[in-house]
Amino acid sequence: MRHTRLADLAASFPALLFALAVPGTGLDPARALARVIDGQSLPDAAAAARIPLWLRRLPPEALTRPITALPDGELFRRQIANHLPRSPKLAPIWLQSVATVAEVAHAQAAVWIARELVRAPPRTDPARLRLVSLWAWFSSQPTTLGHTLIDRRWTPNMQIGSALAAAEAWHTMIVLHVSLGSQEIADMWLQPGHVDGYDFVPLNSTTDISDEADAMQNCLRSYGTNLAHNRSRLWSVKRCGQRIATLKVAVRFDDPLPGVAELRGIRNTAVPREVWWAARQWLHAHDLLRIDMAQRKWGAASLDRPTWRAIWRPYWLAKRQIPEWLPLAPSRRALNAL
């Protein structure tokens, strides 16, 4: 209603009209409004409004919240043009996801998520995009601790399902490391031993646990929080130096004394009875009554501050900010929300 040239934007550039009506944080739309009313070119007006030209092809349904900073440039425009959403229902999710991935990761990952959202929208979980974006960013940072914790790195050829799985595995490794820190677990409750040809070896560090998980193809890396809260201890059962089984010692049911909670072979297969018997003999060779197994209240175990900062410091420096969702002090809430 203010001017016919502004009204024309509803058909020629809906995203620009939206940005002028609902400006993003820190944007004064007056300069861009003046350019439109003066009849200047759409690229000049869009630049004043900090709106990339490739948004011109998006349907109005995509515009549900103030438009945040988005990548631009000739190469990006050519790439993103191949993956614009055709469905008005998908459009707002698509735009927000592209913005999130571009901000947290980089432009190349933003093109990737644009493609994947169009290719397989039912399989995409927008709530996990922050984690996927962080994983994608660290995948290209080989000198960082975060990179060393990645088992499978991001590539633009990956499909979203594989990416989500790889990012979750990386998150599990981060939880393990910030839960236990760089030091060994001081109190393993029990002592190493040798019974009937079987050696009982403590898994008391992140390296030991990760190596056992690799060799035995199990989920030991997910025990970081459990171990930090004093709920269990992990041991490797070996014979002549070869890994035979992974042993979890914990209390079970109403029994206040430590017991054999789990004893599994490679890929969680059952082990022979003699392995169970050796484990029982080894366990009961200890004075179980004197073992302090006081559990911490769930969520009360602190995270390791040096490890937390060592992981995230390169990201903070590269982005020149410490996001509210990735604070300087370690936080279980922030960690779980990734």
Side-chain angles (χ1 to χ4, degrees):
M1 293 176 66
R2 291 179 58 180
H3 198 281
T4 56
R5 286 176 178 155
L6 290 173
D8 289 343
L9 293 177
S12 62
F13 202 159
L16 177 55
L17 177 61
F18 183 86
L20 297 177
V22 189
T25 303
L27 175 66
D28 182 357
R31 184 180 173 198
L33 281 165
R35 290 190 178 188
V36 174
I37 293 172
D38 289 345
Q40 296 187 30
S41 69
L42 285 179
D44 288 342
R50 301 202 298 261
I51 297 298
L53 285 177
W54 57 266
L55 286 180
R56 186 176 181 182
R57 296 178 58 185
L58 279 187
E61 290 83 358
L63 310 167
T64 60
R65 62 182 71 184
I67 301 172
T68 57
L70 289 163
D72 202 4
E74 184 178 350
L75 176 60
F76 186 85
R77 292 172 198 167
R78 290 203 306 266
Q79 293 175 329
I80 202 74
N82 297 317
H83 311 300
L84 296 174
R86 296 182 179 180
S87 165
K89 184 177 180 180
L90 175 62
I93 299 174
W94 183 93
L95 180 57
Q96 186 58 37
S97 299
V98 169
T100 296
V101 175
E103 177 187 8
V104 179
H106 41 64
Q108 189 180 19
V111 173
W112 167 78
I113 196 62
R115 181 197 73 203
E116 288 301 292
L117 282 164
V118 171
R119 185 191 65 81
R123 298 183 58 190
T124 303
D125 183 1
R128 306 305 288 167
L129 285 183
R130 185 178 287 165
L131 173 64
V132 172
S133 301
L134 282 171
W135 163 73
W137 189 87
F138 276 99
S139 290
S140 61
Q141 305 296 319
T143 62
T144 65
L145 174 57
H147 182 89
T148 67
L149 303 181
I150 295 176
D151 181 53
R152 185 181 181 188
R153 300 180 184 90
W154 176 84
T155 69
N157 297 324
M158 298 182 80
Q159 294 189 356
I160 187 64
S162 298
L164 287 169
E168 288 288 356
W170 179 62
H171 184 263
T172 298
M173 281 293 286
I174 290 174
V175 173
L176 175 66
H177 279 256
V178 298
S179 294
L180 301 184
S182 60
Q183 303 299 316
E184 294 183 348
I185 299 174
D187 182 10
M188 286 297 292
W189 299 347
L190 308 168
Q191 296 300 315
H194 180 86
V195 178
D196 291 346
Y198 295 98
D199 294 305
F200 293 84
V201 181
L203 301 174
N204 56 1
S205 70
T206 55
T207 299
D208 290 341
I209 293 170
S210 187
D211 289 346
E212 180 82 0
D214 279 337
M216 301 299 286
Q217 300 177 42
N218 58 30
C219 63
L220 282 198
R221 292 187 182 93
S222 65
Y223 275 81
T225 304
N226 187 282
L227 293 168
H229 287 85
N230 221 37
R231 302 299 173 95
S232 64
R233 292 293 184 266
L234 302 173
W235 294 77
S236 181
V237 183
K238 299 182 178 181
R239 188 179 183 93
C240 299
Q242 181 180 356
R243 300 177 198 263
I244 301 298
T246 301
L247 168 63
K248 173 185 173 183
V249 176
V251 296
R252 300 190 67 191
F253 307 112
D254 294 329
D255 187 350
L257 301 177
V260 178
E262 291 184 42
L263 185 60
R264 298 285 183 179
I266 188 170
R267 293 185 293 275
N268 290 320
T269 55
V271 297
R273 294 179 66 195
E274 54 265 27
V275 180
W276 281 90
W277 176 231
R280 296 272 176 82
Q281 292 181 79
W282 167 73
L283 178 68
H284 290 286
H286 296 81
D287 187 353
L288 301 183
L289 190 62
R290 295 183 178 275
I291 296 175
D292 181 11
M293 299 175 59
Q295 298 182 354
R296 296 184 178 92
K297 182 180 178 182
W298 197 254
S302 61
L303 298 175
D304 187 71
R305 183 183 293 263
T307 303
W308 176 272
R309 293 191 176 185
I311 291 174
W312 302 124
R313 187 171 183 270
Y315 184 79
W316 294 331
L317 292 176
K319 296 294 184 177
R320 298 184 179 181
Q321 64 172 327
I322 299 176
E324 182 181 350
W325 49 268
L326 195 63
L328 186 63
S331 162
R332 288 198 178 276
R333 181 178 180 181
L335 184 62
N336 295 333
L338 290 179

